[in-house]
Amino acid sequence: MLFRSWIGEIGQASREEIEVLRFDRAPQNFQWAVREGSRPGFRPMPSPVLGHWTDSTWEYGRELGRSVIGGYVYRGRLHPTLRGKYICGDFANGRIWALSYAKEAERIRITRVEHLATGEGFRNYHGGIGGITSFGLDQMGELYLLRHGLRTRIERLAPAAPRPGNVPETLSATGAFA
């Protein structure tokens, strides 16, 4: 059995990254300072390269967030549509994503990104009120998240109420487009 660990890596200047550590590939080098996600970093390539040079599995820029918070692969029962997906978020804006993925011989490949939620009433990164700081699991594998700030609390992931009307918000929600 191959063990993997998902890592949320907060970026230096422009990109947030999710990496997957493979225990059979140690030591892995996730390129910080030389690369920030798929973009050049602020340090030159070392010679020789240390460890197994490993690209990020998923990344996003400042238009989507400022501080990735790693999560878990969901294995609970309350949300069957999320089973087997990696759930992560962003501290700065409260966004939560579900990442579908495929296991390939040498790496994990993200096949779909679902935007599950955006925080309400958040101040930005510098205000820090209500930001997601951590994810956790209970004994049944159900997912929780911790928010800090003036209203520090632990929340459980819950489905949103259906939107009124019968028109999907996006064309991809119709199932006719991917």
Side-chain angles (χ1 to χ4, degrees), residues 96-117:
I96 300 172
W97 296 280
L99 308 180
S100 299
Y101 60 94
K103 297 175 190 174
E104 297 178 347
E106 292 298 315
R107 61 185 299 255
I108 296 283
R109 182 176 52 84
I110 300 302
T111 58
R112 184 170 184 222
V113 177
E114 297 171 66
H115 179 210
L116 300 179

Side-chain angles (χ1 to χ4, degrees), residues 78-79 157-161:
L78 293 178
H79 310 287
L157 201 58

Side-chain angles (χ1 to χ4, degrees), residues 10 31 37 63 82 142:
I10 296 172
Q31 314 168 23
E63 71 281 359
L82 296 180
E142 296 306 330

Side-chain angles (χ1 to χ4, degrees), residues 14-34:
S14 66
R15 309 298 287 171
E16 304 300 306
E17 301 175 52
I18 297 292
E19 277 115 11
V20 177
L21 173 67
R22 284 184 46 174
F23 292 96
D24 65 332
R25 300 268 317 190
Q28 284 178 267
N29 182 335
F30 293 109
Q31 314 168 23
W32 182 77
V34 175

Side-chain angles (χ1 to χ4, degrees), residues 13-93:
S14 66
R15 309 298 287 171
E16 304 300 306
E17 301 175 52
I18 297 292
E19 277 115 11
V20 177
L21 173 67
R22 284 184 46 174
F23 292 96
D24 65 332
R25 300 268 317 190
Q28 284 178 267
N29 182 335
F30 293 109
Q31 314 168 23
W32 182 77
V34 175
R35 300 211 42 89
E36 191 169 353
S38 59
R39 296 186 178 170
F42 56 92
R43 294 247 167 96
M45 177 78 72
S47 181
V49 173
L50 302 174
H52 294 282
W53 203 248
T54 307
D55 291 328
S56 59
T57 302
W58 183 62
E59 66 182 84
Y60 62 92
R62 295 295 188 249
E63 71 281 359
L64 292 181
R66 299 189 60 83
S67 186
V68 68
I69 302 298
Y72 290 91
V73 174
Y74 181 74
R75 304 206 189 285
R77 296 184 189 275
L78 293 178
H79 310 287
T81 61
L82 296 180
R83 282 188 61 82
K85 297 176 183 179
Y86 179 69
I87 312 299
C88 60
D90 191 277
F91 167 81
N93 58 24

